[in-house]
Amino acid sequence: MNSEKVRCGWCGTDPLYVTYHDEEWGVPVKDDKTMFEFLLLETFQAGLSWITILRKRENFRKAFDNFDYKKIAKYDQSKIDALLQDEGIIRNKLKVHSAVTNARAFMEIQKEFGSFTEYIWGFVNHKPIKNIWKTHKDAPATSPESDALSKDLKKRGFKFVGSTVIYAHMQATGMVNDHIESCFRFHEV
């Protein structure tokens, strides 16, 4: 008898990807620090593969002060210049600048709603959307909720938050459960 766990096809066999799938992807995030970490990583992922970001995650953590949005919001040009020289991260000028812009906008939302998590979970009525897919290819790239959230974030000054990026963020942070129906994590998250 084969006791191998069934997983979503997108994670393949790369140990880093498998661990991310098994332990993080789709688990509901309810704290602002983790929510910001995923948001920063997703914005840098735009146009790239997620495995590229996962492989550089610890470099990002070090470069961006452990994803401390309060520190990132205060980055000056010398810190931005240093980030643009850091070979351990994605050195895209617009994305680096967006990290600072987004940290500031993140804190504005905290002031308005009490927490970013309270704000963002409001787009799914504060409970995960549980989809039922046969294969990972059935999952959409966007949803009406990601469209609405993307539009609102852009209105609030966020950058690199198109609907596809936001839908991936919603999947990663458990706002949407897109584990395939046969995946062992489908009922666990």
Side-chain angles (χ1 to χ4, degrees):
M1 182 169 86
N2 185 357
S3 62
E4 187 67 26
K5 292 178 179 177
V6 174
R7 292 181 173 87
C8 299
W10 59 261
C11 73
T13 58
D14 183 296
L16 188 60
Y17 237 175
V18 169
T19 299
Y20 172 71
H21 170 273
D22 291 0
E23 297 175 9
E24 290 186 88
W25 193 72
V27 176
V29 171
K30 298 289 186 157
D31 70 278
D32 280 5
K33 184 181 183 319
T34 305
M35 192 63 78
F36 183 79
E37 174 180 345
F38 276 109
L39 188 61
L40 184 142
L41 293 172
E42 290 290 354
T43 59
F44 273 88
Q45 185 267 332
L48 303 169
S49 68
W50 184 243
I51 192 65
T52 299
I53 300 303
L54 281 181
R55 288 182 180 134
K56 292 178 177 280
R57 188 178 193 178
E58 293 311 310
N59 296 335
F60 274 100
R61 185 179 313 284
K62 183 179 175 189
F64 284 94
D65 290 294
N66 201 30
F67 303 108
D68 184 335
Y69 52 85
K70 291 176 183 174
K71 288 182 179 177
I72 295 167
K74 294 177 182 174
Y75 283 0
D76 59 14
Q77 193 58 50
S78 65
K79 175 62 175 179
I80 290 168
D81 291 343
L83 288 168
L84 292 171
Q85 299 303 312
D86 188 334
E87 294 179 8
I89 66 167
I90 307 300
R91 295 178 295 168
N92 177 298
K93 188 175 184 176
L94 294 175
K95 290 179 180 181
V96 170
H97 279 279
S98 77
V100 178
T101 299
N102 291 353
R104 292 172 182 162
F106 186 91
M107 292 189 331
E108 288 302 313
I109 286 175
Q110 286 179 316
K111 287 179 193 171
E112 184 177 343
F113 290 88
S115 75
F116 186 83
T117 302
E118 179 67 23
Y119 158 79
I120 199 168
W121 276 89
F123 285 85
V124 293
N125 295 317
H126 300 281
K127 62 182 194 249
I129 295 169
K130 189 163 191 153
N131 292 314
I132 300 174
W133 311 119
K134 296 292 181 199
T135 77
H136 69 279
K137 294 177 182 172
D138 295 335
T142 65
S143 69
E145 295 83 4
S146 69
D147 292 346
L149 178 52
S150 170
K151 184 177 179 181
D152 196 65
L153 288 169
K154 288 176 183 177
K155 185 178 82 179
R156 294 171 180 277
F158 282 78
K159 306 291 183 205
F160 288 95
V161 290
S163 189
T164 302
V165 168
I166 292 304
Y167 192 75
H169 178 73
M170 293 169 74
Q171 290 173 311
T173 60
M175 295 173 67
V176 175
N177 180 351
D178 272 347
H179 284 282
I180 60 170
E181 191 174 14
S182 59
C183 177
F184 84 99
R185 292 293 282 159
F186 177 76
H187 292 291
E188 291 182 1
V189 296

